[in-house]
């Protein structure tokens, strides 16, 4: 068996599961598109394209990282992410680089061609075949270059990542502009430049990947300078480490978790939050779209900043390292302290977005837009403070939704069973996607605004029943978790009662705030309370120590 | 010989079995570690030592059988149980972002019995500096930091899973052995798993050999010397394979001489046909090689006509 075939087989075997998942997604997407695009159906185009996007987009995103022969090393380190044992094999560097590149290019191009041909057959859309395939492959290849190449430290890698992202983004933007027949007309030399740039980036990526493997072979642990690094290390170790008296094990764990994720926080702040604060305040005008963009962006920052609080293994499961697992910290203490730290980091990061809103208020043009919108709201509701009320309620709702959802999905990972974690993610994804798709599909079927409103009111009549069932199920789960917590001797009953009491008080206070802020009569206190009860997890909070108990004592 | 029926043993394991995806890791293990002993756990790779230790630490739940350590179930109340135990794992899992001083301060908050003076003394003894970040330390120094955290709260039971990994020979003999002896002098128990048999021989008073998830044999150092010896044979005619006798195992060929381990130290146990020219005191490594090797080769030994009792050295 030749080296090339051996490498190709290794690449395929390493990611057999991912390949199967992607293939399944593609099969589902393509077959759904053809089924939905039945002749004579009025909404065939929309349904087919939604089905294709919902399956092919995750398949495409998953494919970007395939075949990369990379380990699970931290992206923010200087060392090469190429499998070190493979670098030591007597195989030419160009083969080590070109085999995964070839596989990735074939795979991604095939995906694009399948997508374009299916979209062309089932809808009126006519998509280019060549250029998008090349640019998508380039994204995957450049990602490999950045992972494989050793750097002096993580900052250089991150800098290179940002430069590459910008160039690839501009090229994709140029390509989309060129492909869009109704879009702005760009000059022919710019079109040519874009095309040349796309092919150039692909070729450069291939060449750089071979260079990266060459470099990684003799600098696997990073490009360590002879002088500067040693000096920095000495300086770092020379700093005095004062004695710290932690008040309690809980306080020590909070300190530990914050210190552990300090480096990630620094990266998130310097590379994400700080530039976003400056750029969005100065260059983005106030609008609803701008508000949504800011909240989505800061949700992403908050998720990244809070993710490092937990310890992850390569399977993505949260596991306790032996020095914590074998420490005399109570299981409930670890679980709830970590959730507290996660929620605190999320709240703090999301709160930083308020600086942008404050900054926007300094611009007269933004104040005009705000006043106009506020007046419209006041007129529509008959409440003079409707605008600020709605804005504050939206911010509060965003905070509790983001924090609630992130905290709600930590428990499956804590129990140290990758299959359970994966299953819950799949079920939850479909749990969210199915209602969204159903609502979109329903909306697309409507013929007039009046009938849409009538239909909406008809369906909304079922909402109280649904909420009641949801809350009853939640209460049952709370009861089950409480009994389990007690039977496993993880938490004393008074603590469980305090937890439930604290949760009810918090949700009630939030509900009162929302009730006071929202000027619409439909937002009664009962409805607000029910909504917050649905959004903020309790059973899953109680399940955290149980889950960690099973993860700690496998 | 240590009395293995001590009424309050530090560790008591009964019929413990554990499999991972059909692979048997522990098979009906019964083990008693007397309080105050230095107990060595030896065995080939994959014998089940780490799995057994993880059960003792409560990191694995006993699915079959029971584990009782210091009179407690390690799973039932880990918070109070782990305060009494020190653990150093073979893996280099301490956080690298932390400074030595910060690690000591963090550990002090977790262990009520943390002895600051002792910790500082150990810090000096191990050549560690409070301000050093763990990622800037060598593997050996990180192992010393782990050892410091494992013992500075003066645990009633110290569990060391391959502690010598990463430690240089000087650190092993001067530091590790000294620490183990110091702890044991206070009447505390040490469970020590290692591949380095000379170290186990020097330090431990009781040794258990694990093979294929079972405790193949448990014995004290005195019992080892009293119960086994090594014989050197020089047969008149060259043996194509060594003769099979009960109680004689672990054959090894060097030139025209053969050596083996005999189970009973009595002369009567050795038949004349073996042509014994010398009888030596057994060393732990020779006993281990013979026991582990012969156990490993057992399936072949069942086949008539094979030289399965011959160790890999032949």
């Amino acid at each position: 068996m030749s080296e090339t075939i051996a490498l190709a087989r290794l690449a395929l075997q390493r990611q057999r599961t991912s390949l199967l998942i992607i293939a399944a997604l593609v099969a589902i997407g393509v077959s759904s598109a053809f089924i939905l695009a039945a002749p004579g159906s009025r909404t065939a185009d929309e349904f087919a394209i939604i089905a294709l996007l919902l399956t092919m987009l995750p398949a495409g995103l998953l494919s970007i990282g395939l075949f990369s022969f990379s380990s699970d090393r931290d992206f923010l380190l200087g060392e090469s992410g190429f499998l070190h044992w493979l670098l030591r094999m007597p195989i030419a560097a160009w083969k080590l680089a070109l085999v995964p590149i070839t596989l990735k290019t074939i795979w991604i191009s095939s995906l694009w061609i399948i997508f374009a041909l299916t979209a062309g057959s089932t809808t009126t859309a006519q998509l280019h075949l060549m250029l998008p395939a090349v640019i998508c492959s380039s994204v995957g290849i450049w990602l490999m270059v950045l992972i494989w190449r050793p750097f002096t430290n993580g900052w250089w890698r991150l800098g290179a990542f940002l430069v590459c992202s910008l160039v690839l983004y501009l090229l994709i933007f140029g390509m989309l502009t060129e492909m869009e027949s109704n879009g702005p007309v760009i000059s022919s030399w710019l079109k040519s430049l874009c095309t040349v740039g796309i092919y150039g980036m692909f070729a450069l990526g291939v060449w750089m990947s071979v260079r990266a493997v060459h470099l990684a072979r003799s600098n696997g642990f990073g490009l360590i300078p002879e002088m500067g690094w040693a000096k920095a290390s000495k300086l770092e170790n020379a700093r005095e480490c004062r004695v710290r008296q932690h008040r309690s094990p809980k306080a020590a764990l909070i300190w530990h978790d914050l210190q552990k994720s300090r480096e990630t926080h620094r990266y998130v702040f310097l590379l994400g939050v700080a530039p976003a604060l400056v750029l969005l305040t100065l260059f983005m005008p106030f609008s609803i779209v701008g508000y949504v963009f800011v909240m989505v962006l800061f949700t992403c920052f908050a998720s990244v900043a809070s993710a490092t609080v937990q310890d992850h293994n390569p399977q993505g499961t949260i596991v306790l390292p032996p020095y914590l697992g074998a420490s005399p910290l109570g299981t409930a203490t670890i679980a709830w302290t970590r959730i507290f730290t996660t929620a605190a980091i999320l709240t703090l990061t999301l709160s930083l977005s308020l600086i942008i809103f404050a900054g926007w208020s300094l611009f007269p043009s933004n104040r005009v837009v705000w006043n106009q919108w506020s007046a419209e709201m006041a007129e529509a509701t008959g409440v003079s403070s409707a605008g600020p009320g709605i804005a504050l309620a939206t911010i509060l709702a965003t905070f509790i939704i983001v924090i609630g959802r992130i905290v709600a999905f930590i428990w499956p990972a804590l129990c140290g069973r990758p299959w359970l974690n994966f299953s819950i993610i799949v079920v939850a994804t479909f749990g969210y996607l199915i209602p969204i798709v159903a609502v979109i599909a329903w909306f697309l079927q409507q013929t007039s605004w009046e009938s849409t409103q009538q239909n909406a009111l008809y369906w909304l009549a079922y909402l109280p029943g649904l909420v009641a069932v949801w809350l009853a199920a939640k209460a049952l789960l709370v009861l089950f978790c409480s009994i389990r917590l007690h039977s496993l001797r993880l938490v004393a009953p008074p603590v469980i009662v305090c937890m439930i009491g604290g949760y009810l008080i918090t949700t009630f206070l939030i509900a009162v705030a929302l009730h006071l802020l929202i000027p619409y009569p439909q937002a009664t206190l009962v409805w607000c309370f029910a909504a917050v009860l649905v959004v903020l997890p309790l059973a899953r909070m109680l399940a955290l120590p149980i889950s960690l108990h099973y993860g700690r004592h496998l | 010989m240590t009395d293995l029926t001590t009424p309050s043993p530090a560790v008591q394991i009964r019929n413990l079995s554990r499999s991972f995806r059909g692979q048997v890791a522990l098979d009906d293990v019964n083990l008693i570690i007397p309080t105050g002993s230095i107990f060595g756990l030896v065995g080939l790779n994959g014998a089940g030592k780490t799995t057994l230790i993880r059960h003792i630490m409560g990191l694995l739940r006993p699915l079959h059988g029971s584990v009782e350590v210091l009179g407690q179930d390690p799973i039932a109340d880990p918070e109070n149980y782990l305060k009494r135990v020190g653990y150093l794992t073979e893996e280099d899992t301490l956080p690298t972002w932390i400074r030595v001083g910060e690690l000591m301060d963090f550990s002090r908050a977790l262990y009520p019995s943390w002895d600051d003076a002792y910790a500082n003394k150990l810090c000096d003894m191990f050549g560690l500096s409070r301000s050093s970040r763990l990622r800037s330390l060598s593997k050996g120094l990180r192992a010393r930091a782990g050892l410091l955290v494992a013992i500075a709260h003066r645990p009633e039971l110290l569990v060391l899973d391959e502690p010598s990994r990463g430690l240089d020979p000087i650190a092993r003999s001067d530091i590790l052995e000294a620490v183990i002896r110091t702890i044991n002098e206070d009447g505390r128990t040490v469970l020590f798993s290692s591949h380095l048999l000379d170290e186990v021989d020097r330090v431990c008073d009781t040794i258990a050999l694990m093979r294929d998830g079972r405790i193949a044999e448990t014995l004290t150092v005195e019992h080892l010397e009293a119960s086994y010896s090594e014989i050197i044979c020089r047969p008149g005619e060259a043996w194509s394979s060594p003769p099979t006798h009960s109680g004689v195992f672990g054959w090894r060929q060097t030139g025209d001489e053969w050596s083996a381990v005999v189970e009973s130290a009595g002369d009567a146990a050795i038949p004349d046909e073996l042509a014994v020219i010398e009888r030596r005191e057994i060393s732990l490594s020779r006993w281990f090689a013979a026991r582990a090797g012969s156990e490993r080769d057992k399936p072949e030994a069942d086949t008539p006509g094979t030289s399965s009792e011959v160790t890999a050295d032949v």
Side-chain angles (χ1 to χ4, degrees), chain A residues 146-484:
Chain A
L146 293 170
I147 291 171
W148 291 351
R149 194 187 189 283
F151 286 91
T152 313
N153 56 52
W155 289 98
W156 283 103
R157 194 188 303 278
L158 209 63
F161 174 76
L162 292 176
V163 171
C164 283
S165 305
L166 186 68
V167 173
L168 288 165
Y169 175 77
L170 289 175
L171 287 173
I172 291 170
F173 181 75
M175 182 190 71
L176 291 173
T177 313
E178 188 190 334
M179 282 162 55
E180 180 57 62
S181 53
N182 299 325
V185 179
I186 59 169
S187 57
S188 58
W189 71 267
L190 211 56
K191 278 183 180 176
S192 309
L193 187 71
C194 183
T195 309
V196 170
I198 287 170
Y199 287 111
M201 273 302 271
F202 181 83
L204 188 65
V206 173
W207 182 73
M208 284 292 286
S209 65
V210 178
R211 292 289 313 142
V213 175
H214 264 296
L215 204 59
R217 281 212 137 150
S218 47
N219 298 280
F221 293 98
L223 303 172
I224 303 163
E226 280 190 284
M227 293 301 291
W229 182 262
K231 268 186 188 170
S233 175
K234 272 182 188 166
L235 279 175
E236 188 186 54
N237 288 336
R239 262 187 290 149
E240 196 195 348
C241 176
R242 64 184 178 82
V243 176
R244 189 184 297 271
Q245 298 287 351
H246 299 287
R247 279 181 292 108
S248 64
K250 214 179 285 181
L253 188 60
I254 292 173
W255 170 87
H256 168 275
D257 289 347
L258 289 174
Q259 286 292 311
K260 182 180 67 172
S261 38
R262 193 176 50 176
E263 208 156 322
T264 309
H265 295 165
R266 201 180 295 155
Y267 276 111
V268 170
F269 185 78
L270 291 176
L271 298 166
V273 173
L277 287 178
V278 175
L279 295 173
L280 296 179
T281 307
L282 295 179
F283 300 111
M284 183 176 266
F286 166 68
S287 66
I288 301 295
V289 175
Y291 166 79
V292 172
F293 179 74
V294 168
M295 289 321 293
V296 170
L297 192 66
F298 275 76
T299 300
C300 296
F301 293 150
S303 310
V304 176
S306 64
T308 41
V309 171
Q310 314 293 345
D311 304 283
H312 295 87
N313 66 4
Q315 287 82 39
T317 314
I318 296 170
V319 285
L320 284 179
Y323 74 93
L324 280 183
S327 74
L329 279 163
T331 305
T333 308
I334 298 175
W336 284 337
T337 304
R338 291 206 146 171
I339 290 309
F340 168 77
T341 316
T342 304
I345 293 170
L346 286 169
T347 311
L348 186 69
T349 315
L350 286 171
S351 302
L352 290 172
S353 65
L354 301 178
I355 296 172
I356 295 177
F357 306 140
W360 279 345
S361 69
L362 299 174
F363 293 85
S365 58
N366 288 335
R367 284 206 294 271
V368 170
V369 177
W370 165 260
N371 289 336
Q372 197 181 338
W373 177 78
S374 200
E376 280 173 19
M377 289 296 111
E379 196 184 324
T381 57
V383 180
S384 60
S385 60
I390 291 172
L392 285 173
T394 319
I395 290 171
L396 184 58
T398 310
F399 274 47
I400 61 166
I401 289 170
V402 170
I403 296 167
R405 290 309 85 195
I406 290 178
V407 166
F409 285 99
I410 290 178
W411 73 270
L414 276 176
C415 71
R417 270 94 173 157
W419 63 268
L420 180 74
N421 194 25
F422 181 74
S423 311
I424 297 286
I425 289 170
V426 170
V427 169
T429 307
F430 280 101
Y432 283 110
L433 279 180
I434 289 169
I436 290 169
V437 172
V439 170
I440 292 171
W442 169 81
F443 190 74
L444 288 170
Q445 280 179 325
Q446 304 308 308
T447 49
S448 69
W449 179 240
E450 287 74 25
S451 65
T452 307
Q453 279 183 311
Q454 277 180 350
N455 280 336
L457 286 172
Y458 171 76
W459 287 111
L460 279 175
Y462 287 99
L463 201 58
L466 275 176
V467 171
V469 170
W470 186 272
L471 292 179
K474 195 165 184 162
L476 277 176
L477 284 171
V478 168
L479 185 68
F480 171 76
C481 290
S482 305
I483 293 168
R484 199 82 190 106

Side-chain angles (χ1 to χ4, degrees), chain A residues 236-237 239 244 327 553-554, chain B residues 58 61 105 131 133 136:
Chain A
E236 188 186 54
N237 288 336
R239 262 187 290 149
R244 189 184 297 271
S327 74
H553 316 288
L554 285 165
Chain B
R61 174 195 314 276
D105 297 342
S131 55
R133 217 173 272 281
S136 69

Side-chain angles (χ1 to χ4, degrees), chain B residues 31 39-43 49 52-53 191-194 200 208 210 215:
Chain B
L31 180 70
F39 197 92
L41 201 55
V42 295
K49 303 188 293 293
L52 182 65
I53 284 176
L191 171 58
F192 181 68
S193 147
S194 179
V200 175
M210 282 200 80
I215 301 285

